[in-house]
Amino acid sequence: MENNMTCITRRMFEKATSEQMTVSSMAGFLEREAKIRTLREKFEMFFHGCEMEKTLLNGLFCNHPDMSRHFIEKRVDGWLNHPECETLKKSDAIEVCFIFKLTIEEADSFVALVTEEGLHWRNPREIVYIFALKQGMDFLEAEKLNEEMKEYVSGVQEGKALSQDSFTPVIRTEVSALGTKEELADFLAGAAARLGQYHNNAYQLFMDMMELLENPRPEEGEAAAGIFEPEKLTIRDIVREYLYGENVLYAREMAHTSPNRWISLPEEEKIVLTRIQEKISGGWPDEEALSKMKSREMDVTRKVLILLFLATDQGAGWEDEYETDVSLEEIFEDLYQRLNDMLAQCGFMTLDPRSPFDWVILYCICVEDMFDVDIRMKSVFQEMFGGRS
């Protein structure tokens, strides 16, 4: 567990991993007592002092002279004073990095906190912003530079083939070494075939995990003995069985159905999702989304990676390495760390106990046996979202 948690975050973490809550009490705790981090609190982690609102207003006034002052004031008020406002669009988050004059490291952490993914070093447009932040430019200078660099990234396309030099660590090293606009232009022109808006690490892991679920492998010796005949699973099977789509997607469908259909529904089928349920189920993957991720028509999401990781994880092989029993705490810490390492490797925010979805994940992985994670997750989503009768 990280040592830099705030008191509230630590309490939320300990509550999720205390082993004292039943599934039903867990759902009640989230609805009534969960301390979800507001956008203001996230801003305050990177801008200290009482001038935050004034700094944001002045920055946005300067960056958008054609925008009405009333609109900008209303926007900042929404960011800072409305508890339901917890995230930003990535373009807004990057602009705030310039307004707060954050370092690259601070900007990466801030963007991850308010959008769930950090700065993307393969994305040509974000590469320009990263370069501008490093050079101490303001936001208007960064926007002008992006316009100047447009012609150099016209050949950027997402490809299914992943070359070794197209992954973020390699590109990050190269981008970090750029010192002039001319070097930036040369890099963008020469590296166009290696760049893109989607996450390569996430896509590779996604494809590996989907392969494990679509084509289950028999245990050693079972295939030779003719005991086990692998069953090929469809994407629909995976959504239903491993991503709990039958519970979550059905609840969202019934809650967001058209007004005319809602009128004709029996009373017992009508569903109104709470704020917590909306936050947990938002962006839940369905069959179409997974198909588009496979064909790279859309980027792999953080939520999908977490769910697939837990569906395919077989533990760290404790039983093979130790003759003595391993404590529950050691098993949890191992899974917690490996899950966070995977998210960081893919450029996503690590688990945040003050995010409702992440809190549920923490609760689900704190079990006596890693093979019980799936059982607990099924129980949690059944409790929170019900299911088809």
Side-chain angles (χ1 to χ4, degrees):
M1 181 176 67
E2 289 90 343
N3 295 320
N4 59 350
M5 289 183 181
T6 64
C7 291
I8 294 176
T9 303
R10 185 176 295 276
R11 284 199 296 271
M12 289 288 290
F13 181 94
E14 291 173 349
K15 195 72 175 178
T17 59
S18 65
E19 307 170 57
Q20 297 176 355
M21 280 195 292
T22 63
V23 170
S24 58
S25 62
M26 173 279 306
F29 170 80
L30 270 182
E31 292 291 351
R32 294 187 294 272
E33 301 179 51
K35 303 294 184 183
I36 302 172
R37 188 183 283 108
T38 65
L39 195 53
R40 174 185 279 275
E41 289 175 303
K42 294 176 183 179
F43 281 6
E44 288 172 343
M45 294 170 67
F46 295 86
F47 188 93
H48 309 288
C50 59
E51 296 292 309
M52 181 169 62
E53 183 170 358
K54 181 179 178 181
T55 299
L56 284 169
L57 286 171
N58 288 341
L60 291 173
F61 290 150
C62 179
N63 294 342
H64 307 280
D66 298 332
M67 196 175 289
S68 76
R69 295 180 67 89
H70 174 71
F71 178 82
I72 290 175
E73 290 168 351
K74 186 175 180 180
R75 191 181 187 191
V76 172
D77 179 65
W79 288 353
L80 300 183
N81 300 316
H82 290 251
E84 66 273 12
C85 188
E86 298 159 23
T87 61
L88 287 181
K89 293 191 301 183
K90 198 167 190 184
S91 57
D92 291 336
I94 290 174
E95 182 176 358
V96 171
C97 292
F98 284 94
I99 294 173
F100 285 173
K101 302 184 186 306
L102 302 183
T103 66
I104 290 295
E105 292 73 20
E106 290 170 336
D108 196 31
S109 298
F110 173 77
V111 173
L113 186 63
V114 299
T115 72
E116 293 195 346
E117 67 171 74
L119 295 171
H120 190 190
W121 293 71
R122 285 188 63 248
N123 185 315
R125 186 169 174 82
E126 290 189 38
I127 287 173
V128 177
Y129 286 129
I130 290 167
F131 176 86
L133 280 168
K134 286 184 59 186
Q135 298 298 316
M137 297 180 184
D138 61 30
F139 182 72
L140 291 178
E141 290 172 323
E143 288 284 82
K144 181 181 178 181
L145 183 61
N146 242 316
E147 283 298 314
E148 295 173 6
M149 295 296 149
K150 271 187 176 180
E151 63 178 290
Y152 299 106
V153 297
S154 57
V156 173
Q157 295 181 351
E158 293 295 346
K160 294 182 183 179
L162 308 180
S163 61
Q164 290 301 311
D165 62 352
S166 69
F167 285 83
T168 296
V170 175
I171 292 176
R172 180 169 186 155
T173 299
E174 297 174 10
V175 171
S176 297
L178 302 175
T180 66
K181 292 182 182 180
E182 292 73 23
E183 290 175 351
L184 174 64
D186 289 342
F187 171 79
L188 292 174
R194 300 157 52 203
L195 304 179
Q197 297 182 30
Y198 296 165
H199 294 79
N200 274 356
N201 281 333
Y203 180 71
Q204 185 174 62
L205 285 171
F206 167 82
M207 292 299 288
D208 290 344
M209 292 186 289
M210 286 293 289
E211 170 65 20
L212 285 174
L213 294 178
E214 290 175 325
N215 300 288
R217 297 167 188 168
E219 295 291 335
E220 185 176 350
E222 285 185 339
I227 299 173
F228 181 86
E229 181 65 32
E231 177 187 0
K232 292 186 179 296
L233 300 181
T234 65
I235 292 180
R236 179 175 296 181
D237 295 330
I238 292 171
V239 170
R240 184 181 66 249
E241 297 296 329
Y242 294 102
L243 305 188
Y244 318 102
E246 199 155 54
N247 299 115
V248 184
L249 292 173
Y250 178 69
R252 286 192 66 81
E253 176 191 354
M254 299 309 294
H256 298 278
T257 191
S258 67
N260 290 338
R261 186 183 172 198
W262 179 273
I263 293 172
S264 64
L265 284 174
E267 195 63 35
E268 63 272 13
E269 290 189 28
K270 294 180 180 180
I271 296 175
V272 177
L273 297 182
T274 66
R275 180 184 173 209
I276 294 293
Q277 288 173 323
E278 283 282 5
K279 292 188 176 302
I280 291 173
S281 64
W284 204 268
D286 58 14
E287 187 177 351
E288 181 182 9
L290 286 190
S291 297
K292 286 184 175 181
M293 289 177 198
K294 286 190 70 174
S295 61
R296 300 218 86 175
E297 296 176 66
M298 66 179 290
D299 204 3
V300 175
T301 65
R302 178 179 182 271
K303 188 165 286 183
V304 163
L305 276 184
I306 291 173
L307 293 171
L308 288 179
F309 179 89
L310 296 179
T312 58
D313 185 64
Q314 297 298 313
W318 293 105
E319 68 281 0
D320 298 327
E321 298 180 19
Y322 299 93
E323 293 182 1
T324 58
D325 289 338
V326 180
S327 69
L328 172 61
E329 182 179 358
E330 287 175 304
I331 294 175
F332 168 79
E333 286 289 346
D334 169 74
L335 179 54
Y336 174 69
Q337 188 61 54
R338 287 188 294 112
L339 182 48
N340 272 339
D341 287 345
M342 185 232 9
L343 290 171
Q345 176 189 350
C346 295
F348 291 115
M349 178 184 73
T350 53
L351 293 176
D352 178 6
R354 294 180 66 182
S355 158
F357 174 76
D358 289 10
W359 192 92
V360 166
I361 295 301
L362 287 170
Y363 175 77
C364 289
I365 65 176
C366 188
V367 291
E368 293 185 6
D369 190 313
M370 287 300 98
F371 294 103
D372 291 336
V373 171
D374 182 61
I375 296 173
R376 177 170 282 194
M377 291 188 75
K378 279 183 168 64
S379 299
V380 164
F381 294 121
Q382 176 69 38
E383 174 70 25
M384 297 195 74
F385 297 98
R388 296 179 188 270
S389 57

